[in-house]
Amino acid sequence: MRLRTAGLRTARLRTAAAATALLCTLAGCASGPSLENRGQVTASPGDSHHLTIGSAGFTESDLLAQLYAQLLGHAGYKTSMLTVANRELYEPALESGQIDVVPEYAATLADWLNAKKHGPDAPPAGSPDLTATMKSLRALAVPRGLAVLPPGRAVDQNAFAVSASYAREHHLKTLSDLGASGLKVRLAAGDECVRRPYCAPGLKKVYGIHITGVDPKGVGTTQAKRAVQSGRDQMVLTTTTDATLDSFGLVLLADDKQLQNADYIVPVVNRARAGSPRVAQALGRLNDVLTTRDLADMNRQVDSWRRLPADVARTYLENKGLLK
């Protein structure tokens, strides 16, 4: 499961009405079937004319939601947006049909649904293997009335960066290179990194990296990056779509032994309202073009250039020939 926290992304509820509507959903106001009564999914997938696209309220999720909304609009659907900054709220809303489509991360959602079903101590359902992760995710999603559409090429995983000068000096391109170097590494990250298997313990076990300590400055925060830029720390935990590494003189080291889970971008839909082939075809057009680099560049345009996510998404889709 990814280590990023809500604090890394600027979470925001768009309107009081949206929050009120969500509370209505959780209280049972929506008309969708209950989880207890669903059992095996036998009804035909739905194709509602008006679809609500959900966003988790941080830059990347806003961008992906805008991309989805504009592609669906181009395919003839009427769309609206609803931002809910907490998966504990938006996932039940997706099940009940108050949200119809949401961008998600395959391994993270698989682990979250698995913990929801089997408890927080359940073995993880996500893994570095995308095929195995998708199989687990779909098995968990189907009984909840959800359909997980095919993933594309874009992936947003935990990642580790060092200063470009440090990488040049020690000839580092991969995490394996860093492990083989024997260098002592102080890691700027969240305090949970000390115990998470995808962070300090995994770096030691999988790559043999000599982690001398974790500097608890958060995941990909400005303070964490400045600590590496200044030489106080040698490496920072961030994400593969971090848009600001260049401005701090940092470069990613490749996760060449696949320590991180397969957090590929996947659209997840309410099957009864948005499970039709038309929806899958409209959103699938993005899979053919969207890359991790593209996503990082769009994040940069919003976070650094202060462009609106809707404008960035439209420009991207037009440049890729997906909108006329």
Side-chain angles (χ1 to χ4, degrees):
M1 186 178 295
R2 298 184 307 167
L3 302 180
R4 68 165 58 90
T5 64
L8 179 59
R9 312 294 193 178
T10 304
R12 56 194 182 276
L13 285 173
R14 295 273 170 88
T15 64
T20 302
L22 231 338
L23 291 175
C24 182
T25 295
L26 298 179
C29 303
S31 59
S34 67
L35 177 60
E36 291 78 8
N37 294 332
R38 281 183 189 137
Q40 295 297 320
V41 176
T42 57
S44 299
D47 193 21
S48 301
H49 177 68
H50 187 155
L51 299 176
T52 299
I53 317 301
S55 166
F58 56 86
T59 296
E60 186 168 289
S61 188
D62 285 348
L63 279 164
L64 289 165
Q66 287 289 344
L67 290 166
Y68 291 2
Q70 292 181 32
L71 284 170
L72 289 168
H74 185 69
Y77 293 93
K78 182 179 179 181
T79 64
S80 57
M81 305 286 291
L82 180 61
T83 298
V84 185
N86 188 311
R87 186 178 277 112
E88 283 77 6
L89 289 178
Y90 74 66
E91 190 278 330
L94 182 62
E95 288 186 29
S96 66
Q98 183 126 0
I99 294 174
D100 302 310
V101 184
V102 69
E104 263 291 2
Y105 302 89
T108 294
L109 183 59
D111 284 343
W112 194 85
L113 290 177
N114 193 48
K116 188 175 179 180
K117 179 178 181 180
H118 299 292
D121 296 326
S127 76
D129 185 321
L130 177 59
T131 300
T133 295
M134 289 296 295
K135 182 178 179 181
S136 297
L137 174 56
R138 284 176 169 143
L140 290 161
V142 165
R144 297 183 176 276
L146 306 180
V148 182
L149 304 186
R153 292 181 287 166
V155 59
D156 186 354
Q157 298 168 301
N158 293 323
F160 298 91
V162 300
S163 70
S165 59
Y166 185 82
R168 286 193 301 269
E169 179 184 357
H170 299 290
H171 309 289
L172 306 176
K173 293 184 177 180
T174 67
L175 291 170
S176 288
D177 293 339
L178 182 56
S181 72
L183 292 165
K184 295 180 179 180
V185 175
R186 180 176 162 93
L187 177 62
D191 54 9
E192 70 274 18
C193 179
V194 174
R195 61 184 181 276
R196 292 291 178 87
Y198 309 122
C199 202
L203 292 172
K204 294 175 183 178
K205 181 178 180 180
V206 175
Y207 288 106
I209 297 173
H210 188 178
I211 304 293
T212 62
V214 173
D215 188 3
K217 293 188 179 299
V219 182
T221 63
T222 297
Q223 293 84 353
K225 292 170 190 172
R226 284 178 177 165
V228 176
Q229 184 184 40
S230 68
R232 171 185 169 85
D233 300 330
Q234 287 72 51
M235 189 161 66
V236 59
L237 170 63
T238 183
T239 67
T240 52
T241 59
D242 191 320
T244 65
L245 293 178
D246 288 349
S247 62
F248 291 93
L250 306 181
V251 294
L252 292 179
L253 296 181
D255 180 22
D256 53 309
K257 293 184 179 179
Q258 293 188 313
L259 171 63
Q260 303 304 320
N261 278 350
D263 260 327
Y264 284 76
I265 311 298
V266 291
V268 183
V269 305
N270 179 291
R271 185 177 185 274
R273 290 183 50 81
S276 72
R278 286 182 62 215
V279 170
Q281 183 177 12
L283 297 180
R285 299 175 68 203
L286 192 61
N287 289 353
D288 297 332
V289 297
L290 184 65
T291 66
T292 304
R293 185 185 295 270
D294 291 343
L295 201 48
D297 181 64
M298 284 190 282
N299 285 337
R300 179 184 296 109
Q301 292 182 51
V302 174
D303 290 337
S304 299
W305 303 357
R306 304 302 181 191
R307 294 189 64 197
L308 294 175
D311 294 340
V312 174
R314 177 165 295 279
T315 299
Y316 179 80
L317 292 174
E318 288 175 347
N319 289 342
K320 295 297 183 179
L322 299 183
L323 293 183
K324 295 180 180 178

